[in-house]
């Protein structure tokens, strides 16, 4: 019989709990961020959709973010990955690289399913660490359209999709809680977002060859 310990994110050392800091609206959140750029242009969105297989629409939650600012860097020492970073529209190669290459992206689909984060119509729009990525579908016919899938690419972890509005809630609560100028950040975006996923990972534990998965104890 398998038993499970409380879920711990790979970058945290305490059980997750929904933070209680109130959310901000997106405009206020953008002003508090360390750095943002001008709103995303319609031309940039059209170019992205034209380049991405199966793409035909930007989900409403991402439209609302890009209408306020195109690129977001929540904290000063972001290095494009730390804190929370919202990406500008880009072609499919920017998403493929988080899986390694095109073949590894196909393998991810084989492992996680047709509507996984690596599907052709998925776009990586946010990053919160060198391993934590957030993707959304650009195909309005997809069952995961207007939803967000969080992956941890160095652990082959894919979490259940959550609504785009939940992502925005987590995003604004996180930004409300941080000091963007601080050299060391006490808050992590994952701690704000992961409670929405209900900790329901699609990780293949049987394929874990090293046998030291943190979520499982030895069989009794």
């Amino acid at each position: 019989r398998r038993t499970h310990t409380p879920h711990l994110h790979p970058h945290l050392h305490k059980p997750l709990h929904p933070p209680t800091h109130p959310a901000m609206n997106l405009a206020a959140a953008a002003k508090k961020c360390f750095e943002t750029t001008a709103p995303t242009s319609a031309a940039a969105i059209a170019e992205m959709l034209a380049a991405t297989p199966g793409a035909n629409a930007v989900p409403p939650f991402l439209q609302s973010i890009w209408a306020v600012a195109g690129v977001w860097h929540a904290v000063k020492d972001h290095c494009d990955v730390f804190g929370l970073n919202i990406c500008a529209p880009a072609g499919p190669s920017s998403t493929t690289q988080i899986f390694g290459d095109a073949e590894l992206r196909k393998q991810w689909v084989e492992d996680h399913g047709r509507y996984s984060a690596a599907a052709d119509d998925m776009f990586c729009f946010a990053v919160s660490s060198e391993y934590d990525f957030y993707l959304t579908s650009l195909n309005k016919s997809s069952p995961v359209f207007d939803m967000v899938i969080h992956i941890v690419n160095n652990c082959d972890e894919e979490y259940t999709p959550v609504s785009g509005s939940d992502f925005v809630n987590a995003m604004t609560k996180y930004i409300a809680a941080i000091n963007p100028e601080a050299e060391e950040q006490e808050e992590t975006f994952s701690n704000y977002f992961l409670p929405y996923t209900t900790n329901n990972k699609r990780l293949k534990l049987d394929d874990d060859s090293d046998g030291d998965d943190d979520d499982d104890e030895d069989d009794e």
Side-chain angles (χ1 to χ4, degrees), residues 164-193:
S165 61
D166 283 342
F167 179 89
V168 173
N169 284 336
M171 172 183 174
T172 54
K173 288 179 180 180
Y174 166 72
I175 293 172
I178 62 171
N179 174 2
E181 300 281 348
E183 292 184 3
E184 294 186 7
Q185 295 292 330
E186 296 182 0
E187 303 284 352
T188 64
F189 177 69
S190 293
N191 202 28
Y192 283 75
F193 182 73

Side-chain angles (χ1 to χ4, degrees), residues 2-214:
R2 281 188 180 273
T3 58
H4 296 275
T5 58
H7 174 64
L8 293 177
H9 186 264
H11 309 305
L12 299 177
H13 301 286
K14 57 184 178 181
L16 294 169
H17 59 279
T20 57
H21 205 288
M24 310 171 74
N25 64 47
L26 282 168
K31 290 180 180 179
K32 189 176 180 186
C33 279
F34 173 73
E35 182 180 14
T36 58
T37 65
T40 299
S41 69
I45 291 174
E47 184 177 354
M48 175 187 68
L49 295 177
T52 304
N56 52 34
V58 173
F61 86 91
L62 187 53
Q63 291 183 37
S64 68
I65 293 172
W66 278 345
V68 174
V71 174
W72 302 57
H73 297 301
V75 302
K76 181 176 181 179
D77 295 326
H78 57 80
C79 299
D80 290 329
V81 295
F82 300 115
L84 177 63
N85 306 274
I86 303 296
C87 309
S93 62
S94 66
T95 296
T96 297
Q97 69 182 1
I98 72 173
F99 299 99
D101 57 32
E103 288 303 314
L104 289 173
R105 183 171 182 173
K106 290 179 182 178
Q107 184 63 51
W108 190 284
V109 172
E110 291 178 8
D111 292 344
H112 295 273
R114 176 182 176 187
Y115 298 110
S116 73
D120 287 345
D121 58 286
M122 298 297 286
F123 169 64
C124 179
F125 71 94
V127 186
S128 66
S129 83
E130 64 267 55
Y131 307 119
D132 290 88
F133 300 90
Y134 306 83
L135 300 95
T136 193
S137 173
L138 300 177
N139 185 335
K140 60 185 177 182
S141 298
S142 170
V144 293
F145 184 70
D146 204 29
M147 302 187 80
V148 176
I149 299 178
H150 171 211
I151 70 167
V152 184
N153 68 349
N154 69 325
C155 297
D156 192 34
E157 287 184 0
E158 178 169 319
Y159 292 78
T160 44
V162 304
S163 71
S165 61
D166 283 342
F167 179 89
V168 173
N169 284 336
M171 172 183 174
T172 54
K173 288 179 180 180
Y174 166 72
I175 293 172
I178 62 171
N179 174 2
E181 300 281 348
E183 292 184 3
E184 294 186 7
Q185 295 292 330
E186 296 182 0
E187 303 284 352
T188 64
F189 177 69
S190 293
N191 202 28
Y192 283 75
F193 182 73
L194 282 174
Y196 290 107
T197 69
T198 66
N199 300 329
N200 186 5
K201 297 183 299 181
R202 298 172 179 167
L203 179 63
K204 289 191 172 182
L205 297 176
D206 292 340
D207 294 341
D208 188 14
S209 59
D210 60 13
D212 60 358
D213 188 276
D214 289 339

